[in-house]
Amino acid sequence: MAEQLLRQQAEAGLGVHDRGVPLRDADLVGVEERHRPVGGRLQAVVNRGRRRVGNLKLPFEKVPKAVTKPPTPVDGRAPSWFRRLVDRAGYQSLVTVDQLLFSAIAFVVQAAAIPVSTDAEYGIFTLVVMVQTGQWYIGRAIASEPMLVSRTAAATDPKALRPPAATALTLGLVIGVCSLLVALFLDGTARDLLLIQAVASPFLGVLDHARYVGYGKQRPLVSLVLDGGWLLAFAATAATFALADHLSPTRTYAMWAITGILATLVAVALTGGPFSLGSVVGWIKEQRKLIPGFLIDALYLAAGIYATFGMAIWATGLDGYGLLRKAMTPITAMTVLFVGIGNALLAHLAGRSAKDVVRAPAIVSLLAAGVCVAGMLVVVVLPADLMSGLLKADWSTLEPVVLVLLVYALLLASGQTAMVAAKASGQAWVGPRVRTIQLVCELALIALLGTQFGVIGAATGMALAWAIGAAIAWIGLTRHARADNAASATTD
């Protein structure tokens, strides 16, 4: 009876495939539900013929809820407890932990140089550190970020990963040569630091790119191993030299570079070598739709850092700039953390819906707000004598500067993650537009407030500029999300 009913449905047009192919007798083979109630037999027949029927839904049909089961291992064995723990923790949580480790490296290297530097020496030290920071921003724009957005890192062929890695290496070689040329015209601490930078640039460029390869291949544990090993090796070495009273700005930077080079060798072993310089041009041509917008955004970010602190030096002097950078030491680690989290979101948000693209940076902004509020509470209760001794500066002068800079870090994190989310949705030019306005405002406000109020004025100008930038970034992101939602509704 069930067979006869299904044939009747087919003749009436109900049992016809979506491409107009009628059901065949072979589609009815195996129906053995004669002892079930009529509704049950009909449901079984429809279920068995669903592949041919298409989207047919009858009044009596019950649609079961989808049940998601964990994938069964290919070899039939249950996953290990460690694998289950990693799956439970989640990809993004591990990425966040890795960014914490990476920001901790930035914090420790600068914190280690503070007790052994004068204000002017520390200012020079941070200027050289920003050479490597700028290289990382640009390297991510031309290699790591396009690799994540285009899903190149997920490719099974290892050869697909060589062009972006070679691009990161090539940039490191260029920055190294430039650092060497500039060092030849300087002397003292600046020359020594730039010579170290010239050697380290190619290695550290490859290391940073390897971290993003781990993100793209859904293996953040690789990045955790690299950054955790680098942090532990540098911290142990720096502590040894500090106990022996042999620490100096130059030695601190040398130890940071050497331990980073060792971590690079491990990264190459884990993620593959970057030795394919002939493929760099092909990679840039292949990613020509993404790289220009990403690169301009990164150039704005890197040039903006130097322009901002150059203006701070002009407005407050080198000693004043050194004080500003001492106050920014924990802030720098926080900004590195949230910028890194934002960049890692590219792999998470690429191809997602407009709702997800807006929700992720909103969550990061809330996380940044919580961290900044906790930081403010810690700053308020810190003993003045201890902080003055550690920073070699009057804590009563630096405390309000640190509080203002915490607000600056929150606004920067929110604006940066909004721009990254726009990148992930294909809006590569949102970043350059935002940074143009933000940079002009920042330079003007630092010049105006820094000359009038000194270090606290410069910090306030930086915070106000990023308030403007973050507002523009969120307006652009939400406008694009609304347009996507409207387009989806029209299509449906």
Side-chain angles (χ1 to χ4, degrees), residues 133-171:
T133 303
Q135 177 190 329
W136 282 334
Y137 289 155
I138 297 172
R140 293 166 189 172
I142 64 177
S144 306
E145 292 177 356
M147 177 190 67
L148 293 179
V149 174
S150 64
R151 303 284 184 173
T152 302
T156 55
D157 185 4
K159 294 181 180 179
L161 296 176
R162 292 179 185 172
T167 303
L169 174 60
T170 302
L171 176 65

PDB file of all heavy atoms in Angstrom, residues 133-171:
ATOM      1  N   THR A 133      58.513  46.196  15.537  1.00  0.00           N
ATOM      2  CA  THR A 133      57.052  46.244  15.577  1.00  0.00           C
ATOM      3  C   THR A 133      56.487  46.654  14.226  1.00  0.00           C
ATOM      4  O   THR A 133      55.535  46.054  13.715  1.00  0.00           O
ATOM      5  CB  THR A 133      56.591  47.226  16.665  1.00  0.00           C
ATOM      6  OG1 THR A 133      57.149  46.842  17.922  1.00  0.00           O
ATOM      7  CG2 THR A 133      55.076  47.244  16.766  1.00  0.00           C
ATOM      8  N   GLY A 134      57.061  47.687  13.621  1.00  0.00           N
ATOM      9  CA  GLY A 134      56.604  48.112  12.303  1.00  0.00           C
ATOM     10  C   GLY A 134      56.801  47.040  11.249  1.00  0.00           C
ATOM     11  O   GLY A 134      55.955  46.851  10.364  1.00  0.00           O
ATOM     12  N   GLN A 135      57.909  46.309  11.330  1.00  0.00           N
ATOM     13  CA  GLN A 135      58.132  45.215  10.382  1.00  0.00           C
ATOM     14  C   GLN A 135      57.059  44.154  10.524  1.00  0.00           C
ATOM     15  O   GLN A 135      56.560  43.617   9.518  1.00  0.00           O
ATOM     16  CB  GLN A 135      59.508  44.596  10.626  1.00  0.00           C
ATOM     17  CG  GLN A 135      59.796  43.397   9.719  1.00  0.00           C
ATOM     18  CD  GLN A 135      61.038  42.636  10.124  1.00  0.00           C
ATOM     19  OE1 GLN A 135      61.988  43.214  10.650  1.00  0.00           O
ATOM     20  NE2 GLN A 135      61.046  41.325   9.906  1.00  0.00           N
ATOM     21  N   TRP A 136      56.696  43.818  11.735  1.00  0.00           N
ATOM     22  CA  TRP A 136      55.641  42.820  11.934  1.00  0.00           C
ATOM     23  C   TRP A 136      54.313  43.281  11.340  1.00  0.00           C
ATOM     24  O   TRP A 136      53.606  42.500  10.703  1.00  0.00           O
ATOM     25  CB  TRP A 136      55.486  42.523  13.422  1.00  0.00           C
ATOM     26  CG  TRP A 136      56.544  41.605  13.957  1.00  0.00           C
ATOM     27  CD1 TRP A 136      57.265  40.670  13.252  1.00  0.00           C
ATOM     28  CD2 TRP A 136      57.013  41.511  15.305  1.00  0.00           C
ATOM     29  NE1 TRP A 136      58.133  40.010  14.076  1.00  0.00           N
ATOM     30  CE2 TRP A 136      58.013  40.502  15.342  1.00  0.00           C
ATOM     31  CE3 TRP A 136      56.701  42.183  16.477  1.00  0.00           C
ATOM     32  CZ2 TRP A 136      58.682  40.144  16.510  1.00  0.00           C
ATOM     33  CZ3 TRP A 136      57.359  41.834  17.647  1.00  0.00           C
ATOM     34  CH2 TRP A 136      58.335  40.827  17.655  1.00  0.00           C
ATOM     35  N   TYR A 137      53.960  44.549  11.554  1.00  0.00           N
ATOM     36  CA  TYR A 137      52.703  45.052  11.000  1.00  0.00           C
ATOM     37  C   TYR A 137      52.689  44.925   9.474  1.00  0.00           C
ATOM     38  O   TYR A 137      51.709  44.470   8.882  1.00  0.00           O
ATOM     39  CB  TYR A 137      52.496  46.514  11.397  1.00  0.00           C
ATOM     40  CG  TYR A 137      52.173  46.722  12.863  1.00  0.00           C
ATOM     41  CD1 TYR A 137      52.466  47.931  13.496  1.00  0.00           C
ATOM     42  CD2 TYR A 137      51.567  45.732  13.618  1.00  0.00           C
ATOM     43  CE1 TYR A 137      52.181  48.137  14.835  1.00  0.00           C
ATOM     44  CE2 TYR A 137      51.276  45.917  14.951  1.00  0.00           C
ATOM     45  CZ  TYR A 137      51.590  47.127  15.561  1.00  0.00           C
ATOM     46  OH  TYR A 137      51.298  47.320  16.886  1.00  0.00           O
ATOM     47  N   ILE A 138      53.786  45.329   8.839  1.00  0.00           N
ATOM     48  CA  ILE A 138      53.833  45.293   7.375  1.00  0.00           C
ATOM     49  C   ILE A 138      53.895  43.852   6.881  1.00  0.00           C
ATOM     50  O   ILE A 138      53.248  43.478   5.889  1.00  0.00           O
ATOM     51  CB  ILE A 138      55.037  46.102   6.864  1.00  0.00           C
ATOM     52  CG1 ILE A 138      54.869  47.577   7.258  1.00  0.00           C
ATOM     53  CG2 ILE A 138      55.177  45.981   5.350  1.00  0.00           C
ATOM     54  CD1 ILE A 138      56.084  48.430   6.974  1.00  0.00           C
ATOM     55  N   GLY A 139      54.673  43.004   7.569  1.00  0.00           N
ATOM     56  CA  GLY A 139      54.758  41.602   7.174  1.00  0.00           C
ATOM     57  C   GLY A 139      53.419  40.892   7.263  1.00  0.00           C
ATOM     58  O   GLY A 139      53.083  40.065   6.403  1.00  0.00           O
ATOM     59  N   ARG A 140      52.647  41.205   8.277  1.00  0.00           N
ATOM     60  CA  ARG A 140      51.316  40.601   8.374  1.00  0.00           C
ATOM     61  C   ARG A 140      50.423  41.066   7.235  1.00  0.00           C
ATOM     62  O   ARG A 140      49.584  40.302   6.731  1.00  0.00           O
ATOM     63  CB  ARG A 140      50.690  40.952   9.728  1.00  0.00           C
ATOM     64  CG  ARG A 140      51.410  40.321  10.910  1.00  0.00           C
ATOM     65  CD  ARG A 140      50.993  40.938  12.229  1.00  0.00           C
ATOM     66  NE  ARG A 140      51.840  40.470  13.334  1.00  0.00           N
ATOM     67  CZ  ARG A 140      51.790  40.974  14.560  1.00  0.00           C
ATOM     68  NH1 ARG A 140      50.957  41.973  14.839  1.00  0.00           N
ATOM     69  NH2 ARG A 140      52.597  40.501  15.503  1.00  0.00           N
ATOM     70  N   ALA A 141      50.574  42.320   6.827  1.00  0.00           N
ATOM     71  CA  ALA A 141      49.724  42.868   5.772  1.00  0.00           C
ATOM     72  C   ALA A 141      49.996  42.237   4.419  1.00  0.00           C
ATOM     73  O   ALA A 141      49.071  42.028   3.624  1.00  0.00           O
ATOM     74  CB  ALA A 141      49.910  44.384   5.693  1.00  0.00           C
ATOM     75  N   ILE A 142      51.252  41.917   4.116  1.00  0.00           N
ATOM     76  CA  ILE A 142      51.576  41.393   2.789  1.00  0.00           C
ATOM     77  C   ILE A 142      51.726  39.872   2.771  1.00  0.00           C
ATOM     78  O   ILE A 142      51.782  39.285   1.691  1.00  0.00           O
ATOM     79  CB  ILE A 142      52.868  42.039   2.242  1.00  0.00           C
ATOM     80  CG1 ILE A 142      54.076  41.679   3.111  1.00  0.00           C
ATOM     81  CG2 ILE A 142      52.707  43.548   2.116  1.00  0.00           C
ATOM     82  CD1 ILE A 142      55.395  42.221   2.588  1.00  0.00           C
ATOM     83  N   ALA A 143      51.763  39.254   3.927  1.00  0.00           N
ATOM     84  CA  ALA A 143      51.964  37.795   3.973  1.00  0.00           C
ATOM     85  C   ALA A 143      50.923  37.098   4.844  1.00  0.00           C
ATOM     86  O   ALA A 143      50.125  36.297   4.354  1.00  0.00           O
ATOM     87  CB  ALA A 143      53.376  37.477   4.477  1.00  0.00           C
ATOM     88  N   SER A 144      50.903  37.397   6.132  1.00  0.00           N
ATOM     89  CA  SER A 144      50.093  36.609   7.075  1.00  0.00           C
ATOM     90  C   SER A 144      48.597  36.850   6.919  1.00  0.00           C
ATOM     91  O   SER A 144      47.810  35.891   6.862  1.00  0.00           O
ATOM     92  CB  SER A 144      50.533  36.929   8.512  1.00  0.00           C
ATOM     93  OG  SER A 144      51.918  36.745   8.674  1.00  0.00           O
ATOM     94  N   GLU A 145      48.177  38.106   6.848  1.00  0.00           N
ATOM     95  CA  GLU A 145      46.746  38.394   6.775  1.00  0.00           C
ATOM     96  C   GLU A 145      46.125  37.914   5.465  1.00  0.00           C
ATOM     97  O   GLU A 145      45.051  37.287   5.487  1.00  0.00           O
ATOM     98  CB  GLU A 145      46.508  39.886   6.998  1.00  0.00           C
ATOM     99  CG  GLU A 145      46.821  40.331   8.421  1.00  0.00           C
ATOM    100  CD  GLU A 145      46.643  41.830   8.607  1.00  0.00           C
ATOM    101  OE1 GLU A 145      46.351  42.524   7.612  1.00  0.00           O
ATOM    102  OE2 GLU A 145      46.797  42.304   9.742  1.00  0.00           O
ATOM    103  N   PRO A 146      46.736  38.171   4.303  1.00  0.00           N
ATOM    104  CA  PRO A 146      46.167  37.585   3.076  1.00  0.00           C
ATOM    105  C   PRO A 146      46.131  36.061   3.120  1.00  0.00           C
ATOM    106  O   PRO A 146      45.212  35.441   2.584  1.00  0.00           O
ATOM    107  CB  PRO A 146      47.110  38.089   1.981  1.00  0.00           C
ATOM    108  CG  PRO A 146      47.713  39.327   2.528  1.00  0.00           C
ATOM    109  CD  PRO A 146      47.846  39.088   3.999  1.00  0.00           C
ATOM    110  N   MET A 147      47.121  35.448   3.762  1.00  0.00           N
ATOM    111  CA  MET A 147      47.130  34.000   3.888  1.00  0.00           C
ATOM    112  C   MET A 147      45.925  33.514   4.690  1.00  0.00           C
ATOM    113  O   MET A 147      45.297  32.501   4.342  1.00  0.00           O
ATOM    114  CB  MET A 147      48.423  33.550   4.574  1.00  0.00           C
ATOM    115  CG  MET A 147      48.518  32.053   4.831  1.00  0.00           C
ATOM    116  SD  MET A 147      49.915  31.630   5.901  1.00  0.00           S
ATOM    117  CE  MET A 147      49.392  32.385   7.460  1.00  0.00           C
ATOM    118  N   LEU A 148      45.562  34.235   5.749  1.00  0.00           N
ATOM    119  CA  LEU A 148      44.420  33.832   6.563  1.00  0.00           C
ATOM    120  C   LEU A 148      43.104  34.062   5.831  1.00  0.00           C
ATOM    121  O   LEU A 148      42.230  33.192   5.822  1.00  0.00           O
ATOM    122  CB  LEU A 148      44.424  34.618   7.880  1.00  0.00           C
ATOM    123  CG  LEU A 148      45.570  34.334   8.863  1.00  0.00           C
ATOM    124  CD1 LEU A 148      45.428  35.206  10.095  1.00  0.00           C
ATOM    125  CD2 LEU A 148      45.607  32.866   9.253  1.00  0.00           C
ATOM    126  N   VAL A 149      42.953  35.231   5.234  1.00  0.00           N
ATOM    127  CA  VAL A 149      41.686  35.568   4.586  1.00  0.00           C
ATOM    128  C   VAL A 149      41.433  34.678   3.373  1.00  0.00           C
ATOM    129  O   VAL A 149      40.305  34.259   3.120  1.00  0.00           O
ATOM    130  CB  VAL A 149      41.674  37.054   4.186  1.00  0.00           C
ATOM    131  CG1 VAL A 149      40.422  37.390   3.387  1.00  0.00           C
ATOM    132  CG2 VAL A 149      41.733  37.932   5.426  1.00  0.00           C
ATOM    133  N   SER A 150      42.484  34.362   2.616  1.00  0.00           N
ATOM    134  CA  SER A 150      42.333  33.516   1.432  1.00  0.00           C
ATOM    135  C   SER A 150      42.344  32.032   1.750  1.00  0.00           C
ATOM    136  O   SER A 150      42.250  31.212   0.839  1.00  0.00           O
ATOM    137  CB  SER A 150      43.450  33.830   0.430  1.00  0.00           C
ATOM    138  OG  SER A 150      44.723  33.505   0.979  1.00  0.00           O
ATOM    139  N   ARG A 151      42.485  31.681   3.009  1.00  0.00           N
ATOM    140  CA  ARG A 151      42.499  30.286   3.460  1.00  0.00           C
ATOM    141  C   ARG A 151      43.677  29.499   2.892  1.00  0.00           C
ATOM    142  O   ARG A 151      43.619  28.267   2.792  1.00  0.00           O
ATOM    143  CB  ARG A 151      41.199  29.579   3.058  1.00  0.00           C
ATOM    144  CG  ARG A 151      39.944  30.225   3.577  1.00  0.00           C
ATOM    145  CD  ARG A 151      39.730  29.937   5.038  1.00  0.00           C
ATOM    146  NE  ARG A 151      38.472  30.466   5.539  1.00  0.00           N
ATOM    147  CZ  ARG A 151      37.996  30.235   6.730  1.00  0.00           C
ATOM    148  NH1 ARG A 151      38.691  29.489   7.566  1.00  0.00           N
ATOM    149  NH2 ARG A 151      36.857  30.744   7.134  1.00  0.00           N
ATOM    150  N   THR A 152      44.743  30.193   2.529  1.00  0.00           N
ATOM    151  CA  THR A 152      45.922  29.510   2.008  1.00  0.00           C
ATOM    152  C   THR A 152      46.548  28.611   3.060  1.00  0.00           C
ATOM    153  O   THR A 152      47.072  27.532   2.755  1.00  0.00           O
ATOM    154  CB  THR A 152      46.954  30.542   1.515  1.00  0.00           C
ATOM    155  OG1 THR A 152      46.346  31.358   0.514  1.00  0.00           O
ATOM    156  CG2 THR A 152      48.183  29.862   0.941  1.00  0.00           C
ATOM    157  N   ALA A 153      46.509  29.048   4.318  1.00  0.00           N
ATOM    158  CA  ALA A 153      47.136  28.264   5.388  1.00  0.00           C
ATOM    159  C   ALA A 153      46.468  26.913   5.579  1.00  0.00           C
ATOM    160  O   ALA A 153      47.079  25.983   6.103  1.00  0.00           O
ATOM    161  CB  ALA A 153      47.107  29.053   6.692  1.00  0.00           C
ATOM    162  N   ALA A 154      45.203  26.800   5.164  1.00  0.00           N
ATOM    163  CA  ALA A 154      44.484  25.534   5.331  1.00  0.00           C
ATOM    164  C   ALA A 154      44.797  24.534   4.224  1.00  0.00           C
ATOM    165  O   ALA A 154      44.305  23.410   4.255  1.00  0.00           O
ATOM    166  CB  ALA A 154      42.980  25.790   5.379  1.00  0.00           C
ATOM    167  N   ALA A 155      45.604  24.925   3.239  1.00  0.00           N
ATOM    168  CA  ALA A 155      45.912  24.034   2.127  1.00  0.00           C
ATOM    169  C   ALA A 155      46.708  22.826   2.625  1.00  0.00           C
ATOM    170  O   ALA A 155      47.540  22.935   3.529  1.00  0.00           O
ATOM    171  CB  ALA A 155      46.707  24.775   1.052  1.00  0.00           C
ATOM    172  N   THR A 156      46.433  21.684   2.012  1.00  0.00           N
ATOM    173  CA  THR A 156      47.127  20.458   2.426  1.00  0.00           C
ATOM    174  C   THR A 156      48.526  20.364   1.813  1.00  0.00           C
ATOM    175  O   THR A 156      49.381  19.667   2.349  1.00  0.00           O
ATOM    176  CB  THR A 156      46.308  19.228   1.993  1.00  0.00           C
ATOM    177  OG1 THR A 156      46.063  19.299   0.574  1.00  0.00           O
ATOM    178  CG2 THR A 156      44.967  19.201   2.735  1.00  0.00           C
ATOM    179  N   ASP A 157      48.757  21.055   0.718  1.00  0.00           N
ATOM    180  CA  ASP A 157      50.060  21.023   0.063  1.00  0.00           C
ATOM    181  C   ASP A 157      51.014  21.990   0.766  1.00  0.00           C
ATOM    182  O   ASP A 157      50.763  23.202   0.797  1.00  0.00           O
ATOM    183  CB  ASP A 157      49.915  21.413  -1.407  1.00  0.00           C
ATOM    184  CG  ASP A 157      51.234  21.268  -2.170  1.00  0.00           C
ATOM    185  OD1 ASP A 157      52.210  20.793  -1.566  1.00  0.00           O
ATOM    186  OD2 ASP A 157      51.266  21.623  -3.366  1.00  0.00           O
ATOM    187  N   PRO A 158      52.111  21.508   1.349  1.00  0.00           N
ATOM    188  CA  PRO A 158      53.044  22.410   2.048  1.00  0.00           C
ATOM    189  C   PRO A 158      53.630  23.482   1.143  1.00  0.00           C
ATOM    190  O   PRO A 158      54.022  24.548   1.617  1.00  0.00           O
ATOM    191  CB  PRO A 158      54.133  21.459   2.564  1.00  0.00           C
ATOM    192  CG  PRO A 158      53.507  20.102   2.563  1.00  0.00           C
ATOM    193  CD  PRO A 158      52.529  20.103   1.440  1.00  0.00           C
ATOM    194  N   LYS A 159      53.693  23.208  -0.159  1.00  0.00           N
ATOM    195  CA  LYS A 159      54.255  24.188  -1.077  1.00  0.00           C
ATOM    196  C   LYS A 159      53.429  25.470  -1.125  1.00  0.00           C
ATOM    197  O   LYS A 159      53.949  26.535  -1.452  1.00  0.00           O
ATOM    198  CB  LYS A 159      54.367  23.597  -2.475  1.00  0.00           C
ATOM    199  CG  LYS A 159      55.361  22.449  -2.578  1.00  0.00           C
ATOM    200  CD  LYS A 159      55.441  21.926  -4.004  1.00  0.00           C
ATOM    201  CE  LYS A 159      56.445  20.766  -4.110  1.00  0.00           C
ATOM    202  NZ  LYS A 159      56.509  20.226  -5.484  1.00  0.00           N
ATOM    203  N   ALA A 160      52.135  25.376  -0.812  1.00  0.00           N
ATOM    204  CA  ALA A 160      51.277  26.560  -0.850  1.00  0.00           C
ATOM    205  C   ALA A 160      51.657  27.566   0.223  1.00  0.00           C
ATOM    206  O   ALA A 160      51.342  28.762   0.100  1.00  0.00           O
ATOM    207  CB  ALA A 160      49.813  26.146  -0.688  1.00  0.00           C
ATOM    208  N   LEU A 161      52.340  27.107   1.293  1.00  0.00           N
ATOM    209  CA  LEU A 161      52.716  28.004   2.388  1.00  0.00           C
ATOM    210  C   LEU A 161      54.042  28.714   2.148  1.00  0.00           C
ATOM    211  O   LEU A 161      54.380  29.647   2.882  1.00  0.00           O
ATOM    212  CB  LEU A 161      52.802  27.209   3.690  1.00  0.00           C
ATOM    213  CG  LEU A 161      51.498  26.580   4.189  1.00  0.00           C
ATOM    214  CD1 LEU A 161      51.764  25.743   5.426  1.00  0.00           C
ATOM    215  CD2 LEU A 161      50.474  27.654   4.495  1.00  0.00           C
ATOM    216  N   ARG A 162      54.790  28.289   1.153  1.00  0.00           N
ATOM    217  CA  ARG A 162      56.113  28.881   0.949  1.00  0.00           C
ATOM    218  C   ARG A 162      56.070  30.322   0.449  1.00  0.00           C
ATOM    219  O   ARG A 162      56.858  31.148   0.914  1.00  0.00           O
ATOM    220  CB  ARG A 162      56.910  28.002  -0.012  1.00  0.00           C
ATOM    221  CG  ARG A 162      57.288  26.649   0.581  1.00  0.00           C
ATOM    222  CD  ARG A 162      58.050  25.803  -0.426  1.00  0.00           C
ATOM    223  NE  ARG A 162      58.312  24.457   0.109  1.00  0.00           N
ATOM    224  CZ  ARG A 162      58.820  23.472  -0.601  1.00  0.00           C
ATOM    225  NH1 ARG A 162      59.121  23.667  -1.885  1.00  0.00           N
ATOM    226  NH2 ARG A 162      59.021  22.287  -0.045  1.00  0.00           N
ATOM    227  N   PRO A 163      55.203  30.681  -0.506  1.00  0.00           N
ATOM    228  CA  PRO A 163      55.221  32.067  -0.988  1.00  0.00           C
ATOM    229  C   PRO A 163      54.974  33.114   0.100  1.00  0.00           C
ATOM    230  O   PRO A 163      55.742  34.081   0.197  1.00  0.00           O
ATOM    231  CB  PRO A 163      54.125  32.078  -2.062  1.00  0.00           C
ATOM    232  CG  PRO A 163      54.071  30.670  -2.548  1.00  0.00           C
ATOM    233  CD  PRO A 163      54.325  29.829  -1.337  1.00  0.00           C
ATOM    234  N   PRO A 164      53.930  32.982   0.970  1.00  0.00           N
ATOM    235  CA  PRO A 164      53.782  33.992   2.020  1.00  0.00           C
ATOM    236  C   PRO A 164      54.933  33.988   3.014  1.00  0.00           C
ATOM    237  O   PRO A 164      55.357  35.051   3.488  1.00  0.00           O
ATOM    238  CB  PRO A 164      52.448  33.623   2.693  1.00  0.00           C
ATOM    239  CG  PRO A 164      52.194  32.208   2.327  1.00  0.00           C
ATOM    240  CD  PRO A 164      52.805  32.009   0.980  1.00  0.00           C
ATOM    241  N   ALA A 165      55.473  32.813   3.346  1.00  0.00           N
ATOM    242  CA  ALA A 165      56.619  32.766   4.260  1.00  0.00           C
ATOM    243  C   ALA A 165      57.843  33.428   3.639  1.00  0.00           C
ATOM    244  O   ALA A 165      58.585  34.153   4.318  1.00  0.00           O
ATOM    245  CB  ALA A 165      56.924  31.311   4.628  1.00  0.00           C
ATOM    246  N   ALA A 166      58.054  33.200   2.347  1.00  0.00           N
ATOM    247  CA  ALA A 166      59.167  33.850   1.662  1.00  0.00           C
ATOM    248  C   ALA A 166      58.982  35.360   1.599  1.00  0.00           C
ATOM    249  O   ALA A 166      59.957  36.118   1.670  1.00  0.00           O
ATOM    250  CB  ALA A 166      59.296  33.271   0.247  1.00  0.00           C
ATOM    251  N   THR A 167      57.742  35.804   1.501  1.00  0.00           N
ATOM    252  CA  THR A 167      57.466  37.241   1.502  1.00  0.00           C
ATOM    253  C   THR A 167      57.836  37.863   2.842  1.00  0.00           C
ATOM    254  O   THR A 167      58.441  38.947   2.901  1.00  0.00           O
ATOM    255  CB  THR A 167      55.979  37.489   1.197  1.00  0.00           C
ATOM    256  OG1 THR A 167      55.642  36.877  -0.049  1.00  0.00           O
ATOM    257  CG2 THR A 167      55.678  38.977   1.118  1.00  0.00           C
ATOM    258  N   ALA A 168      57.495  37.176   3.940  1.00  0.00           N
ATOM    259  CA  ALA A 168      57.871  37.667   5.268  1.00  0.00           C
ATOM    260  C   ALA A 168      59.388  37.708   5.429  1.00  0.00           C
ATOM    261  O   ALA A 168      59.935  38.661   6.014  1.00  0.00           O
ATOM    262  CB  ALA A 168      57.241  36.788   6.347  1.00  0.00           C
ATOM    263  N   LEU A 169      60.072  36.699   4.904  1.00  0.00           N
ATOM    264  CA  LEU A 169      61.534  36.670   4.979  1.00  0.00           C
ATOM    265  C   LEU A 169      62.148  37.803   4.160  1.00  0.00           C
ATOM    266  O   LEU A 169      63.095  38.464   4.608  1.00  0.00           O
ATOM    267  CB  LEU A 169      62.053  35.323   4.482  1.00  0.00           C
ATOM    268  CG  LEU A 169      63.579  35.177   4.359  1.00  0.00           C
ATOM    269  CD1 LEU A 169      64.256  35.382   5.702  1.00  0.00           C
ATOM    270  CD2 LEU A 169      63.940  33.825   3.764  1.00  0.00           C
ATOM    271  N   THR A 170      61.628  38.036   2.972  1.00  0.00           N
ATOM    272  CA  THR A 170      62.153  39.103   2.119  1.00  0.00           C
ATOM    273  C   THR A 170      62.022  40.461   2.786  1.00  0.00           C
ATOM    274  O   THR A 170      62.952  41.287   2.764  1.00  0.00           O
ATOM    275  CB  THR A 170      61.413  39.108   0.776  1.00  0.00           C
ATOM    276  OG1 THR A 170      61.559  37.829   0.144  1.00  0.00           O
ATOM    277  CG2 THR A 170      61.966  40.183  -0.152  1.00  0.00           C
ATOM    278  N   LEU A 171      60.879  40.708   3.396  1.00  0.00           N
ATOM    279  CA  LEU A 171      60.703  41.975   4.112  1.00  0.00           C
ATOM    280  C   LEU A 171      61.708  42.092   5.246  1.00  0.00           C
ATOM    281  O   LEU A 171      62.293  43.171   5.468  1.00  0.00           O
ATOM    282  CB  LEU A 171      59.278  42.069   4.654  1.00  0.00           C
ATOM    283  CG  LEU A 171      58.990  43.305   5.513  1.00  0.00           C
ATOM    284  CD1 LEU A 171      59.086  44.582   4.676  1.00  0.00           C
ATOM    285  CD2 LEU A 171      57.617  43.200   6.180  1.00  0.00           C
TER     286      LEU A 171
END
